[in-house]
Amino acid sequence: MAEQPILVTGATGKSGRRVVRRLRAAGLPVRAAARGGEHVFDWTDRGTWDAALEGVGAVYLVQLDGTRLVRPFVERAVRHGVRRIVLASGRGIDDPGYVRDDAGVLEALRDAEAAVRGSGVEWTISRPGWFAQNFSEGFFADAVRSGELRLPAGDGAASYIDAEDIAAVVVAALTEDGHAGRVYELSGPAALTPAEAVATISEATGRSVRYVPLPVEDYVAELVRQGVAAADARAFADVVEPLREGRDAYVSDGVWRALGRAPRTFAEFARDTAAAGGWPVRPATIGPDRT
């Protein structure tokens, strides 16, 4: 498939930009598509779809949450001659009680999976759990940098997956044989509670980061006091519910199945992120620290 470009949607996101980087490092032609990317692509503007798909042999699909646009996009991709599709989906999709889904995110994911399965082309589905990068680039990043992570997550654990592993699996599925018709549930090698995760970050950075568990209502009230709309504050609390309930604590074998190796540990993620400047790192000192 190297003779045709590989389309990466969501090319500026956590997994997408890593997929782009890996494909280019391998010398493969890539069409990096996003609303603000190299190739303009907007899920809500179907006028951008054909230019993105023209001449493409394989596609990495990162859908827009809560929309049902994957099905018509896949139909158009097949008409353009796309032969391989890798879909970003999510853990918990088969569990109707996984999370409150007022926005219809899980239903949209189920419809997207059904669309690629029935497309008639080679397909692979990636189902990652909680990203380790939530602590450095996403949901928890600002709190971690401030030194205090306040969440209604209790002692719930999750087997955080490094986005580098997600990208490695996606690239393998896009470029190698043997992945067609497979669903890869992706997790790290062990589950950590939020307290254990921030302790690992503290060790990697030399700075103290602490976790403060909050009741749900207190968390919502804090966000509202910070100017977040009440409905949005409640939605943030709902997102944390699977973490609080330990629904993502189980370890999956998707990285092993796809790559033949173990997934990266959270400690490896933390050390690499700290070394790359992802968090403030306590400077080395000579003699006693008097600051």
Side-chain angles (χ1 to χ4, degrees):
M1 295 216 166
E3 71 281 2
Q4 292 180 281
I6 297 171
L7 173 63
V8 177
T9 65
T12 58
K14 292 185 186 70
S15 67
R17 73 173 185 272
R18 290 173 168 87
V19 169
V20 168
R21 186 179 68 233
R22 285 173 178 267
L23 289 170
R24 287 184 171 159
L28 298 173
V30 180
R31 188 168 294 164
R35 281 185 297 179
E38 300 170 14
H39 191 101
V40 176
F41 172 81
D42 187 341
W43 275 110
T44 63
D45 180 0
R46 300 191 187 200
T48 67
W49 291 10
D50 288 314
L53 287 165
E54 183 66 34
V56 163
V59 180
Y60 177 43
L61 283 183
V62 181
Q63 61 193 292
L64 183 63
D65 282 349
T67 65
R68 296 202 181 199
L69 296 169
V70 167
R71 185 175 294 277
F73 185 82
V74 165
E75 292 170 355
R76 194 172 299 187
V78 172
R79 290 200 298 271
H80 272 274
V82 168
R83 303 191 304 277
R84 183 174 294 181
I85 296 173
V86 179
L87 175 72
S89 186
R91 269 178 143 199
I93 192 172
D94 295 325
D95 179 2
Y98 174 74
V99 68
R100 191 190 306 270
D101 190 28
D102 295 335
V105 173
L106 289 184
E107 283 302 315
L109 288 172
R110 294 185 189 105
D111 186 64
E113 288 201 5
V116 299
R117 290 174 193 267
S119 65
V121 302
E122 292 184 14
W123 59 264
T124 308
I125 295 171
S126 164
R127 288 183 175 179
W130 283 78
F131 285 37
Q133 277 72 14
N134 279 315
F135 291 89
S136 59
E137 302 171 21
F139 198 24
F140 310 144
D142 288 343
V144 169
R145 292 189 183 97
S146 77
E148 186 171 88
L149 178 63
R150 301 169 66 82
L151 283 176
D155 292 324
S159 51
Y160 298 100
I161 174 74
D162 192 323
E164 293 292 347
D165 281 338
I166 299 171
V169 169
V170 169
V171 168
L174 286 169
T175 62
E176 301 172 359
D177 294 330
H179 302 282
R182 296 193 177 185
V183 177
Y184 292 125
E185 283 226 355
L186 306 177
S187 80
L192 287 79
T193 66
E196 291 169 334
V198 298
T200 303
I201 294 169
S202 295
E203 182 176 355
T205 60
R207 292 183 180 270
S208 175
V209 184
R210 72 185 191 117
Y211 165 61
V212 180
L214 296 175
V216 171
E217 294 306 322
D218 290 358
Y219 174 73
V220 171
E222 280 195 7
L223 291 183
V224 170
R225 286 196 296 272
Q226 293 167 17
V228 177
D232 291 339
R234 177 61 61 177
F236 288 142
D238 289 344
V239 168
V240 179
E241 181 184 358
L243 177 58
R244 182 172 63 252
E245 299 296 330
R247 293 180 189 143
D248 269 324
Y250 64 97
V251 172
S252 301
D253 65 354
V255 174
W256 270 111
R257 290 172 54 224
L259 304 177
R261 65 163 174 82
R264 285 163 51 85
T265 67
F266 192 86
E268 289 174 310
F269 152 75
R271 286 195 299 269
D272 288 352
T273 301
W279 300 299
V281 176
R282 188 184 184 108
T285 60
I286 299 175
D289 181 2
R290 302 183 185 278
T291 62

